[in-house]
Amino acid sequence: MNRLVIKFGGSSVATIDKIKAVAKVIIDRKKDYEQIVVVVSAMGKTTNGLIQMANDLSAYPAEREMDMLLATGEMVSASLLSIYLQSIGEKSVALTGFQAGFETIGSHQVSKISNVITDRLIKELNDGKIVVVTGFQGMNENGDFTTLGRGGSDTSAVAIAAVLKARCEILTDVNGIYTVDPRIRKTAKKIDYISYQETMEMANLGAKVIEPRSVEMALRYDVPLFIGLNTGDLNGTNIIKEEDIVEQNIITNISNKNDVLLVKIFKKGSNEFGISEALKQLAQNDINIDMINRIVEENEVSYKITTNLVSKNKTKQVLDEMGLDCEFKENLSKVSIIGSAMRNQVGVAARAFDILSKESVPFYEVSTSEISISYLVDESKSNKLVNAFADEFNL
Amino acid sequence: MNRLVIKFGGSSVATIDKIKAVAKVIIDRKKDYEQIVVVVSAMGKTTNGLIQMANDLSAYPAEREMDMLLATGEMVSASLLSIYLQSIGEKSVALTGFQAGFETIGSHQVSKISNVITDRLIKELNDGKIVVVTGFQGMNENGDFTTLGRGGSDTSAVAIAAVLKARCEILTDVNGIYTVDPRIRKTAKKIDYISYQETMEMANLGAKVIEPRSVEMALRYDVPLFIGLNTGDLNGTNIIKEEDIVEQNIITNISNKNDVLLVKIFKKGSNEFGISEALKQLAQNDINIDMINRIVEENEVSYKITTNLVSKNKTKQVLDEMGLDCEFKENLSKVSIIGSAMRNQVGVAARAFDILSKESVPFYEVSTSEISISYLVDESKSNKLVNAFADEFNL
């Protein structure tokens, strides 16, 4: 069975006219696919509007009820799209996360998909319907609405593609993945083929084009993934297995992530404090920790971690409650160079450090993975550094 | 167990501040009741906004998807109210129609409650939580969202009160039921006690204060019903059994319903046409038929029915398709006098007809029930007639 899952983000279904436009794309795809599932996010800024109302009522809105609240956003866009498809003569049905079989585990707001029961999905597809599924949501064992975290609609789409053995297209307002963010570098080139691993690394390191969890899932279940324009243009980026990429650059991409917060954690007058307990508490409060370094200066032990600027107040609160001190440094960016071929190439790190020195860009932290090197630098210097790296590696 | 169900309509939860205000009322009621269920409608004009979007996409939006779309309105208000209750230290949980156990049968958009499975409701109440339930919705045997028709939140509230053996308060922006619409007659009096039957008759005949189905259900399951202000003021109207009302007027209420459409149905050149089939087709198209009269003039047979002005185009379409002719008369009102004591009183009809003649108000149709008489008159004359009736019967 020739199946396709298409995911449209919130900006692609933001208005009545945009809903009509994506319907055209869907119908056009029927030429090439026998069965189509469409996954949609909430219209435009709906989710932000719902969160704002909850925040106006409570400093810490109850998470179970937040999930019920946020689930409505996708229910609106999915039902409207299905209504339109039916009005122009297509057979269609809109399904919520739980109707589409999404069973989840874990905390509200950041639930994980444990299973997708495909009975209803397959029944509706076999009835010849275009199935429109609400992204980003599922139901837990209590029969309560859950959400998969921001960007979870990508994960919903890949999960359906995995269970249905379908191709998955993430259609959005950019026409694929670029070597460098085109807003920073006008001459950046679109990448036609990129590996799952590189895409994951990019997404983890700041590129907003796709949710890293969804790429990981695509890799695990061998889902052919495509990122392209919501006009349906097939000239986008294909995410495939590394071994299937014919011609490969050493460096595939330079990523940049702004609004990074550097947090120094210490305890005045003491070198012994439970850093692991602190990290655990931060994690339990949904504070996303990225880099971690242990620092010993003049016999004083401290730790430096990075997180998102939005987590500043919460971080301070958690550390205060544990009797720990902290200092913050804001206005930082994390600039990363990414490429699978780095594994087999020596000298990339040396070339990168050379650029930093030539460009006189100081860095506060550095971290590396098998296929990437990341530098924490002043936000004011990040664009300059991105372009210098791109020049060096011909991107 | 001392239980209370409170229903708040859309205008009572239309804004963040109004949600905070109704929370105060709920908490105040905790002094007198051990367990409280709150039923809410969608915020303000949310439902109308959702319908508008669907209509922008389709002349006849798919009903199953409409129900999924509209169900979101109450999910938003219920989750926000529960979030606020929890933020001020109350234990609370928000439940959708299906989580609260509402099983429905019948068509989408106009489903009927077949059962309320109380397991979860009672579990949450026994956990000490204020349970906030989305009104107006349930789930059918396919696991699809259904809605109970406009005003269905009243029915949701009474149904929960019936299964929990609770008192039911419908709190709104008017402080009870009046003898006459106060917008038409300033000196109209609030009714302290009124029978279920009279309230049903009023609701059926145009009073917008409560949904007739919900009153019928309250009567059937002996649910003590109260209509009052959303400020929690207990000086409202109690709807009770007729035999429990101590002092009774002959006439309790004068109702007025505008935007009535009179439809003459006939078939040129033929006196034989399937009126019952026509009525069936109209009903299947959700056209609400009120009065029906068979007319024989100069050997020509025709039928006159009344419906709502909004159904005009649909009515014409249905009759056209059946090869029937029709003529419309618009700008009509139905003025009704209602009172249980009419059963035992002769002469009410004579006094009413006398008023019509004195006031020179021509009528196009008249219909009667055991406890009411209704006249179809020009909309321009309806207020004058309402006041004349109110004078005659001391309301």
Side-chain angles (χ1 to χ4, degrees), chain A residues 333-357:
Chain A
S333 291
K334 185 175 172 184
V335 176
S336 309
I337 56 181
I338 301 160
S340 292
M342 273 170 75
R343 281 200 201 92
N344 317 313
Q345 293 272 346
V346 288
V348 171
R351 283 165 74 185
F353 278 95
D354 205 33
I355 296 289
L356 282 155
S357 141

PDB file of all heavy atoms in Angstrom, chain A residues 333-357:
ATOM      1  N   SER A 333      24.980  33.045  22.330  1.00  0.00           N
ATOM      2  CA  SER A 333      24.538  32.180  21.232  1.00  0.00           C
ATOM      3  C   SER A 333      25.418  30.942  21.180  1.00  0.00           C
ATOM      4  O   SER A 333      26.592  30.994  21.551  1.00  0.00           O
ATOM      5  CB  SER A 333      24.682  32.893  19.888  1.00  0.00           C
ATOM      6  OG  SER A 333      23.763  33.929  19.780  1.00  0.00           O
ATOM      7  N   LYS A 334      24.817  29.877  20.691  1.00  0.00           N
ATOM      8  CA  LYS A 334      25.586  28.661  20.495  1.00  0.00           C
ATOM      9  C   LYS A 334      25.718  28.439  18.996  1.00  0.00           C
ATOM     10  O   LYS A 334      24.725  28.257  18.299  1.00  0.00           O
ATOM     11  CB  LYS A 334      24.837  27.497  21.144  1.00  0.00           C
ATOM     12  CG  LYS A 334      25.575  26.190  21.119  1.00  0.00           C
ATOM     13  CD  LYS A 334      24.746  25.182  21.913  1.00  0.00           C
ATOM     14  CE  LYS A 334      25.317  23.796  21.777  1.00  0.00           C
ATOM     15  NZ  LYS A 334      24.435  22.827  22.464  1.00  0.00           N
ATOM     16  N   VAL A 335      26.947  28.499  18.506  1.00  0.00           N
ATOM     17  CA  VAL A 335      27.193  28.315  17.072  1.00  0.00           C
ATOM     18  C   VAL A 335      27.829  26.939  16.883  1.00  0.00           C
ATOM     19  O   VAL A 335      28.794  26.594  17.569  1.00  0.00           O
ATOM     20  CB  VAL A 335      28.133  29.412  16.530  1.00  0.00           C
ATOM     21  CG1 VAL A 335      28.473  29.153  15.069  1.00  0.00           C
ATOM     22  CG2 VAL A 335      27.483  30.786  16.698  1.00  0.00           C
ATOM     23  N   SER A 336      27.266  26.136  15.964  1.00  0.00           N
ATOM     24  CA  SER A 336      27.726  24.755  15.797  1.00  0.00           C
ATOM     25  C   SER A 336      28.054  24.458  14.348  1.00  0.00           C
ATOM     26  O   SER A 336      27.369  24.921  13.441  1.00  0.00           O
ATOM     27  CB  SER A 336      26.636  23.777  16.250  1.00  0.00           C
ATOM     28  OG  SER A 336      26.178  24.106  17.539  1.00  0.00           O
ATOM     29  N   ILE A 337      29.105  23.677  14.155  1.00  0.00           N
ATOM     30  CA  ILE A 337      29.375  23.143  12.812  1.00  0.00           C
ATOM     31  C   ILE A 337      29.100  21.656  12.844  1.00  0.00           C
ATOM     32  O   ILE A 337      29.469  20.952  13.779  1.00  0.00           O
ATOM     33  CB  ILE A 337      30.813  23.455  12.336  1.00  0.00           C
ATOM     34  CG1 ILE A 337      31.843  22.930  13.321  1.00  0.00           C
ATOM     35  CG2 ILE A 337      31.011  24.943  12.157  1.00  0.00           C
ATOM     36  CD1 ILE A 337      33.275  23.243  12.887  1.00  0.00           C
ATOM     37  N   ILE A 338      28.362  21.193  11.826  1.00  0.00           N
ATOM     38  CA  ILE A 338      27.831  19.830  11.836  1.00  0.00           C
ATOM     39  C   ILE A 338      28.162  19.117  10.534  1.00  0.00           C
ATOM     40  O   ILE A 338      27.996  19.698   9.457  1.00  0.00           O
ATOM     41  CB  ILE A 338      26.295  19.856  11.995  1.00  0.00           C
ATOM     42  CG1 ILE A 338      25.906  20.574  13.302  1.00  0.00           C
ATOM     43  CG2 ILE A 338      25.706  18.440  11.961  1.00  0.00           C
ATOM     44  CD1 ILE A 338      24.490  21.069  13.315  1.00  0.00           C
ATOM     45  N   GLY A 339      28.577  17.862  10.639  1.00  0.00           N
ATOM     46  CA  GLY A 339      28.810  17.065   9.441  1.00  0.00           C
ATOM     47  C   GLY A 339      29.214  15.645   9.787  1.00  0.00           C
ATOM     48  O   GLY A 339      30.145  15.430  10.570  1.00  0.00           O
ATOM     49  N   SER A 340      28.523  14.689   9.201  1.00  0.00           N
ATOM     50  CA  SER A 340      28.812  13.281   9.490  1.00  0.00           C
ATOM     51  C   SER A 340      30.248  12.921   9.120  1.00  0.00           C
ATOM     52  O   SER A 340      30.884  12.084   9.766  1.00  0.00           O
ATOM     53  CB  SER A 340      27.876  12.370   8.708  1.00  0.00           C
ATOM     54  OG  SER A 340      26.579  12.496   9.179  1.00  0.00           O
ATOM     55  N   ALA A 341      30.759  13.550   8.044  1.00  0.00           N
ATOM     56  CA  ALA A 341      32.090  13.193   7.565  1.00  0.00           C
ATOM     57  C   ALA A 341      33.194  13.624   8.527  1.00  0.00           C
ATOM     58  O   ALA A 341      34.344  13.211   8.380  1.00  0.00           O
ATOM     59  CB  ALA A 341      32.322  13.785   6.177  1.00  0.00           C
ATOM     60  N   MET A 342      32.834  14.451   9.527  1.00  0.00           N
ATOM     61  CA  MET A 342      33.824  14.837  10.544  1.00  0.00           C
ATOM     62  C   MET A 342      34.428  13.620  11.231  1.00  0.00           C
ATOM     63  O   MET A 342      35.576  13.649  11.673  1.00  0.00           O
ATOM     64  CB  MET A 342      33.174  15.715  11.623  1.00  0.00           C
ATOM     65  CG  MET A 342      33.163  17.194  11.284  1.00  0.00           C
ATOM     66  SD  MET A 342      32.138  18.120  12.446  1.00  0.00           S
ATOM     67  CE  MET A 342      33.210  18.134  13.864  1.00  0.00           C
ATOM     68  N   ARG A 343      33.625  12.556  11.310  1.00  0.00           N
ATOM     69  CA  ARG A 343      34.102  11.321  11.934  1.00  0.00           C
ATOM     70  C   ARG A 343      35.430  10.848  11.336  1.00  0.00           C
ATOM     71  O   ARG A 343      36.309  10.383  12.043  1.00  0.00           O
ATOM     72  CB  ARG A 343      33.076  10.191  11.714  1.00  0.00           C
ATOM     73  CG  ARG A 343      31.902  10.239  12.617  1.00  0.00           C
ATOM     74  CD  ARG A 343      31.248   8.854  12.648  1.00  0.00           C
ATOM     75  NE  ARG A 343      29.879   8.955  13.100  1.00  0.00           N
ATOM     76  CZ  ARG A 343      28.835   9.099  12.304  1.00  0.00           C
ATOM     77  NH1 ARG A 343      28.995   9.144  10.993  1.00  0.00           N
ATOM     78  NH2 ARG A 343      27.629   9.198  12.797  1.00  0.00           N
ATOM     79  N   ASN A 344      35.490  10.965  10.020  1.00  0.00           N
ATOM     80  CA  ASN A 344      36.660  10.423   9.329  1.00  0.00           C
ATOM     81  C   ASN A 344      37.667  11.486   8.916  1.00  0.00           C
ATOM     82  O   ASN A 344      38.594  11.208   8.177  1.00  0.00           O
ATOM     83  CB  ASN A 344      36.204   9.664   8.068  1.00  0.00           C
ATOM     84  CG  ASN A 344      35.001   8.806   8.348  1.00  0.00           C
ATOM     85  OD1 ASN A 344      34.989   8.082   9.349  1.00  0.00           O
ATOM     86  ND2 ASN A 344      33.987   8.908   7.511  1.00  0.00           N
ATOM     87  N   GLN A 345      37.449  12.681   9.355  1.00  0.00           N
ATOM     88  CA  GLN A 345      38.330  13.767   8.940  1.00  0.00           C
ATOM     89  C   GLN A 345      39.011  14.366  10.165  1.00  0.00           C
ATOM     90  O   GLN A 345      38.343  14.825  11.084  1.00  0.00           O
ATOM     91  CB  GLN A 345      37.503  14.868   8.263  1.00  0.00           C
ATOM     92  CG  GLN A 345      36.887  14.442   6.945  1.00  0.00           C
ATOM     93  CD  GLN A 345      37.826  14.688   5.788  1.00  0.00           C
ATOM     94  OE1 GLN A 345      38.824  15.412   5.933  1.00  0.00           O
ATOM     95  NE2 GLN A 345      37.538  14.075   4.658  1.00  0.00           N
ATOM     96  N   VAL A 346      40.295  14.374  10.150  1.00  0.00           N
ATOM     97  CA  VAL A 346      40.996  15.082  11.228  1.00  0.00           C
ATOM     98  C   VAL A 346      41.154  16.536  10.801  1.00  0.00           C
ATOM     99  O   VAL A 346      40.993  16.879   9.640  1.00  0.00           O
ATOM    100  CB  VAL A 346      42.390  14.465  11.514  1.00  0.00           C
ATOM    101  CG1 VAL A 346      42.228  13.130  12.210  1.00  0.00           C
ATOM    102  CG2 VAL A 346      43.195  14.342  10.234  1.00  0.00           C
ATOM    103  N   GLY A 347      41.397  17.388  11.751  1.00  0.00           N
ATOM    104  CA  GLY A 347      41.738  18.766  11.405  1.00  0.00           C
ATOM    105  C   GLY A 347      40.568  19.729  11.351  1.00  0.00           C
ATOM    106  O   GLY A 347      40.769  20.930  11.244  1.00  0.00           O
ATOM    107  N   VAL A 348      39.349  19.240  11.422  1.00  0.00           N
ATOM    108  CA  VAL A 348      38.212  20.151  11.376  1.00  0.00           C
ATOM    109  C   VAL A 348      38.220  21.067  12.595  1.00  0.00           C
ATOM    110  O   VAL A 348      38.050  22.283  12.487  1.00  0.00           O
ATOM    111  CB  VAL A 348      36.867  19.369  11.302  1.00  0.00           C
ATOM    112  CG1 VAL A 348      35.697  20.316  11.476  1.00  0.00           C
ATOM    113  CG2 VAL A 348      36.761  18.629   9.978  1.00  0.00           C
ATOM    114  N   ALA A 349      38.460  20.475  13.774  1.00  0.00           N
ATOM    115  CA  ALA A 349      38.484  21.267  15.010  1.00  0.00           C
ATOM    116  C   ALA A 349      39.568  22.342  14.929  1.00  0.00           C
ATOM    117  O   ALA A 349      39.332  23.503  15.284  1.00  0.00           O
ATOM    118  CB  ALA A 349      38.711  20.364  16.218  1.00  0.00           C
ATOM    119  N   ALA A 350      40.717  21.964  14.423  1.00  0.00           N
ATOM    120  CA  ALA A 350      41.813  22.928  14.325  1.00  0.00           C
ATOM    121  C   ALA A 350      41.420  24.093  13.420  1.00  0.00           C
ATOM    122  O   ALA A 350      41.647  25.263  13.750  1.00  0.00           O
ATOM    123  CB  ALA A 350      43.059  22.235  13.784  1.00  0.00           C
ATOM    124  N   ARG A 351      40.813  23.781  12.280  1.00  0.00           N
ATOM    125  CA  ARG A 351      40.374  24.834  11.356  1.00  0.00           C
ATOM    126  C   ARG A 351      39.349  25.747  12.032  1.00  0.00           C
ATOM    127  O   ARG A 351      39.375  26.966  11.875  1.00  0.00           O
ATOM    128  CB  ARG A 351      39.777  24.225  10.089  1.00  0.00           C
ATOM    129  CG  ARG A 351      40.830  23.704   9.119  1.00  0.00           C
ATOM    130  CD  ARG A 351      40.218  22.803   8.060  1.00  0.00           C
ATOM    131  NE  ARG A 351      39.468  23.532   7.040  1.00  0.00           N
ATOM    132  CZ  ARG A 351      38.764  22.940   6.076  1.00  0.00           C
ATOM    133  NH1 ARG A 351      38.710  21.611   6.015  1.00  0.00           N
ATOM    134  NH2 ARG A 351      38.114  23.652   5.186  1.00  0.00           N
ATOM    135  N   ALA A 352      38.456  25.136  12.824  1.00  0.00           N
ATOM    136  CA  ALA A 352      37.411  25.917  13.488  1.00  0.00           C
ATOM    137  C   ALA A 352      38.007  26.863  14.528  1.00  0.00           C
ATOM    138  O   ALA A 352      37.693  28.059  14.551  1.00  0.00           O
ATOM    139  CB  ALA A 352      36.389  24.968  14.144  1.00  0.00           C
ATOM    140  N   PHE A 353      38.909  26.329  15.364  1.00  0.00           N
ATOM    141  CA  PHE A 353      39.525  27.183  16.390  1.00  0.00           C
ATOM    142  C   PHE A 353      40.329  28.307  15.741  1.00  0.00           C
ATOM    143  O   PHE A 353      40.386  29.422  16.244  1.00  0.00           O
ATOM    144  CB  PHE A 353      40.403  26.344  17.328  1.00  0.00           C
ATOM    145  CG  PHE A 353      39.604  25.650  18.412  1.00  0.00           C
ATOM    146  CD1 PHE A 353      39.172  24.343  18.253  1.00  0.00           C
ATOM    147  CD2 PHE A 353      39.280  26.332  19.584  1.00  0.00           C
ATOM    148  CE1 PHE A 353      38.438  23.710  19.248  1.00  0.00           C
ATOM    149  CE2 PHE A 353      38.542  25.703  20.574  1.00  0.00           C
ATOM    150  CZ  PHE A 353      38.118  24.393  20.411  1.00  0.00           C
ATOM    151  N   ASP A 354      40.910  27.998  14.617  1.00  0.00           N
ATOM    152  CA  ASP A 354      41.686  28.983  13.879  1.00  0.00           C
ATOM    153  C   ASP A 354      40.792  30.161  13.461  1.00  0.00           C
ATOM    154  O   ASP A 354      41.173  31.329  13.558  1.00  0.00           O
ATOM    155  CB  ASP A 354      42.274  28.279  12.653  1.00  0.00           C
ATOM    156  CG  ASP A 354      43.527  28.983  12.174  1.00  0.00           C
ATOM    157  OD1 ASP A 354      44.258  29.524  13.027  1.00  0.00           O
ATOM    158  OD2 ASP A 354      43.738  29.014  10.951  1.00  0.00           O
ATOM    159  N   ILE A 355      39.597  29.829  13.007  1.00  0.00           N
ATOM    160  CA  ILE A 355      38.639  30.874  12.586  1.00  0.00           C
ATOM    161  C   ILE A 355      38.274  31.767  13.768  1.00  0.00           C
ATOM    162  O   ILE A 355      38.270  33.003  13.660  1.00  0.00           O
ATOM    163  CB  ILE A 355      37.350  30.214  12.028  1.00  0.00           C
ATOM    164  CG1 ILE A 355      37.639  29.411  10.751  1.00  0.00           C
ATOM    165  CG2 ILE A 355      36.258  31.259  11.781  1.00  0.00           C
ATOM    166  CD1 ILE A 355      37.964  30.236   9.541  1.00  0.00           C
ATOM    167  N   LEU A 356      37.980  31.149  14.914  1.00  0.00           N
ATOM    168  CA  LEU A 356      37.628  31.915  16.116  1.00  0.00           C
ATOM    169  C   LEU A 356      38.726  32.921  16.444  1.00  0.00           C
ATOM    170  O   LEU A 356      38.451  34.078  16.787  1.00  0.00           O
ATOM    171  CB  LEU A 356      37.430  30.975  17.308  1.00  0.00           C
ATOM    172  CG  LEU A 356      36.101  30.234  17.340  1.00  0.00           C
ATOM    173  CD1 LEU A 356      36.228  28.949  18.128  1.00  0.00           C
ATOM    174  CD2 LEU A 356      35.012  31.109  17.930  1.00  0.00           C
ATOM    175  N   SER A 357      39.929  32.454  16.340  1.00  0.00           N
ATOM    176  CA  SER A 357      41.053  33.303  16.685  1.00  0.00           C
ATOM    177  C   SER A 357      41.230  34.415  15.649  1.00  0.00           C
ATOM    178  O   SER A 357      41.347  35.587  15.973  1.00  0.00           O
ATOM    179  CB  SER A 357      42.284  32.406  16.843  1.00  0.00           C
ATOM    180  OG  SER A 357      43.411  33.004  16.325  1.00  0.00           O
TER     181      SER A 357
END
